[in-house]
């Protein structure tokens, strides 16, 4: 079930693989963050990269969220979902000149600048347009987020941000530039972080740097703490939004600066499930079975890319005897494994399964490898299921080809 609505008939009607989202879960998790920071000036800029299907983006806007966009495409999706440019923060390590010009023309709330070179580009583009663009400097605090190396961004070996030591001189230089105004400092040290200590340490670095800058004449307005707070994929206990706030608020409070947050996963990951049917069951040697699903790395690449764990459960309990299984996808590579060594009630061909907690970085990272078609997406809201994205057709795909 998803919020009291049975999944079996939805899968029968819409086919599989199929993403299903709970609007109530998204709302509840957004509010939990908002409430955790209530009483302190803060703005939540939902990180669209986690899931930017229009219906989800609109839902978050309706809840009062602002947006964090990582590309020109995400900026435009935010606008189409009804966000005003003033609600959009533009982040990202490789913003092209065209993307920067687009963001400046629109007048986004601010651009999180990732390098000295980008600062110059923003300044030049802004002066050409006779505007002054608000920017935040993304620092690299050299903090180990203790998450998977592929999604760790706050160490100096990572490509992100500017070394703290270089920021005071850069800000002094920026004060002489007519096209930019430094209004914030930004840090995002990684994703799926379940240890609050690195998050608090990054916040402390921002606060210390802000006071150093203030003493030198650059007065900023806010600290952008990024996203990164993890969720529980295996049922183990992870810090809540409340605990996260309790870890970073005391650190930031002394600065009196407003907080910007960019949560993605925290809001949408547990709100989504990927429904899939068993295509084949075959002997894997020994006691083990290969359970071949109709979904794989094309719809959910997280297990293959980060060795990440997602629970995989039958949608309907049949009471079958347990069997040791490797749950695999249909794609032509051995990395296409959704779950290794899982004990499942012995699966049957045609049976419906749910891959859980796939609302973040699931659908958005899907591909057409093997000429597979992007899955449909369904939202359950107020006791009803509705298609929010139809399944892609081969004609959709081939329409791009000349
Ligand atoms: N802000 C910035 C600047 C980011 O780079 C990210 C994520 C976020 C906010 C949101 O982080 P979150 O709250 O969702 O952790 N594809 C990977 C995750 C990549 C995250 C990239 N940056 C995965 O599936 O685990």
């Amino acid at each position: 079930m998803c919020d009291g609505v049975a999944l079996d008939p939805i899968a029968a009607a819409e086919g599989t693989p199929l993403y299903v989202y709970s609007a109530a879960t998204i709302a509840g998790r957004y509010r939990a963050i908002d409430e955790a920071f209530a009483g302190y000036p803060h703005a939540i800029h939902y990180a669209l990269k986690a899931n930017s299907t229009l219906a989800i983006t609109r839902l978050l806007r309706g809840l009062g969220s602002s947006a964090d966009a990582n590309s020109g495409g995400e900026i435009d999706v935010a606008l189409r979902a009804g966000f005003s440019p003033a609600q959009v923060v533009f982040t990202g390590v490789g913003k092209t000149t065209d993307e920067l010009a687009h963001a400046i023309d629109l007048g986004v709330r601010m651009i999180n600048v990732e390098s000295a070179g980008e600062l110059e580009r923003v300044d030049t583009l802004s002066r050409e347009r006779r505007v002054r663009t608000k920017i935040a400097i993304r620092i690299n605090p050299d903090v180990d987020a203790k998450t998977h190396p592929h999604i760790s961004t706050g160490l100096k070996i990572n490509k992100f941000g500017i070394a703290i030591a270089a920021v005071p001189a850069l800000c002094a230089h920026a004060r002489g530039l007519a096209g930019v105004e430094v209004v914030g400092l930004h840090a995002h040290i990684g994703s799926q972080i379940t240890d609050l200590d690195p998050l608090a340490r990054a916040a402390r670095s921002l606060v210390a740097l802000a006071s150093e800058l203030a003493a030198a004449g650059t007065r900023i307005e806010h600290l952008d703490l990024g996203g990164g707070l993890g969720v529980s994929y295996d049922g183990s206990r992870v810090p809540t939004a409340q605990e996260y706030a309790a870890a970073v608020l005391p650190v930031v409070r002394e600065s009196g600066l407003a907080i910007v947050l960019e949560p993605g996963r925290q809001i949408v990951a547990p709100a989504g499930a990927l429904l899939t049917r068993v295509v084949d069951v075959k002997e894997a040697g020994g006691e083990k079975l290969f359970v071949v699903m109709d979904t794989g790395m094309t719809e959910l690449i997280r297990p293959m890319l980060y060795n990440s764990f997602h629970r995989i459960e039958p949608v309907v309990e049949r009471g079958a005897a347990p069997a040791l299984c490797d749950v695999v996808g249909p794609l032509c590579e051995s990395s296409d494994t959704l779950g290794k060594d899982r004990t499942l009630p012995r699966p049957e061909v045609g049976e419906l399964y749910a891959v859980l907690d796939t609302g973040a970085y699931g659908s958005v990272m899907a591909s057409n490898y093997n000429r597979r078609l992007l899955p449909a997406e369904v939202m359950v809201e107020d006791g009803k299921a509705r298609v929010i994205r139809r399944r892609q057709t081969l004609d959709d795909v081939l329409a791009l080809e000349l």
Side-chain angles (χ1 to χ4, degrees), residues 14 22 32 58-59 80 82 95 131 146 175 201 216 223 236 240 249 254 262 282 290 313 353 356 361 394:
E14 303 305 333
S22 155
R58 284 198 191 105
L59 172 65
R80 290 205 195 187
K95 307 179 196 79
V131 296
K146 300 190 198 122
R175 273 207 301 283
R201 278 172 49 207
L223 300 177
S236 62
T240 61
L249 265 180
E254 66 184 68
E262 301 170 350
K282 53 195 272 187
F290 284 124
E313 293 180 0
Y353 271 75
L356 300 184
Y361 307 108
L394 189 63

Side-chain angles (χ1 to χ4, degrees), residues 77-102:
V77 166
L79 299 185
R80 290 205 195 187
F83 285 104
S84 70
Q87 291 177 297
V88 177
V89 169
F90 187 23
T91 63
V93 81
K95 307 179 196 79
T96 65
T97 301
D98 281 351
E99 286 176 315
L100 288 172
H102 183 48

Side-chain angles (χ1 to χ4, degrees), residues 98-361:
D98 281 351
E99 286 176 315
L100 288 172
H102 183 48
I104 293 166
D105 286 338
L106 285 168
V108 297
R109 175 177 176 186
M110 73 190 155
I111 297 178
N112 288 348
V113 166
E114 292 260 354
S115 70
E118 191 178 292
L119 178 72
E120 298 305 324
R121 288 190 285 280
V122 174
D123 177 56
T124 304
L125 291 163
S126 301
R127 279 189 290 107
E128 282 166 10
R129 290 161 172 77
R130 298 183 197 294
V131 296
R132 191 146 199 227
T133 300
K134 290 187 191 296
I135 60 165
I137 303 286
R138 177 167 182 180
I139 65 160
N140 183 319
D142 198 21
V143 166
D144 183 359
K146 300 190 198 122
T147 181
H148 192 281
H150 291 185
I151 51 174
S152 185
T153 55
L155 284 170
K156 63 171 183 250
I157 54 161
N158 300 130
K159 66 183 173 182
F160 300 93
I162 301 170
I164 293 178
V167 175
L170 196 68
C171 284
H173 169 63
R175 273 207 301 283
L177 303 177
V180 294
E181 182 188 359
V182 181
V183 297
L185 291 175
H186 174 228
H188 171 82
I189 59 169
S191 196
Q192 184 53 14
I193 302 168
T194 53
D195 180 346
L196 293 176
D197 187 51
L199 290 164
R201 278 172 49 207
R204 224 168 278 132
S205 300
L206 288 171
V207 170
L209 185 57
S211 78
E212 186 183 340
L213 294 179
T218 302
R219 289 206 175 277
I220 60 164
E221 296 161 8
H222 74 263
L223 300 177
D224 182 339
L225 306 183
L229 185 59
V231 300
S232 176
Y233 285 102
D234 61 2
S236 62
R237 206 184 121 49
V238 296
T240 61
Q242 203 75 41
E243 288 162 342
Y244 170 62
V248 296
L249 265 180
V251 177
V252 177
R253 203 179 286 279
E254 66 184 68
S255 74
L257 296 168
I259 289 178
V260 170
L261 301 166
E262 301 170 350
R265 185 191 315 269
Q266 182 60 213
I267 296 174
V268 289
L274 173 59
L275 301 187
T276 177
R277 281 192 201 280
V278 178
V279 170
D280 198 5
V281 178
K282 53 195 272 187
E283 300 293 329
E287 295 291 291
K288 203 152 72 170
L289 300 173
F290 284 124
V291 184
V292 189
M293 297 296 193
D294 68 1
T295 195
M297 65 197 289
T298 38
E299 291 75 39
L300 181 69
I301 202 170
R302 302 197 67 256
M304 304 79 190
L305 208 49
Y306 318 113
N307 203 16
S308 64
F309 177 90
H310 287 267
R311 286 173 289 175
I312 304 172
E313 293 180 0
V315 169
V316 180
E317 292 268 8
R318 290 176 303 117
L324 184 65
C325 306
D326 276 359
V327 182
V328 301
L331 287 118
C332 58
E333 33 189 299
S334 297
S335 62
D336 189 34
T337 298
L338 290 158
K340 254 193 130 38
D341 295 326
R342 304 293 179 90
T343 302
L344 299 171
R346 195 187 167 89
E348 269 183 3
V349 171
E351 196 179 354
L352 187 65
Y353 271 75
V355 187
L356 300 184
D357 306 313
T358 46
Y361 307 108

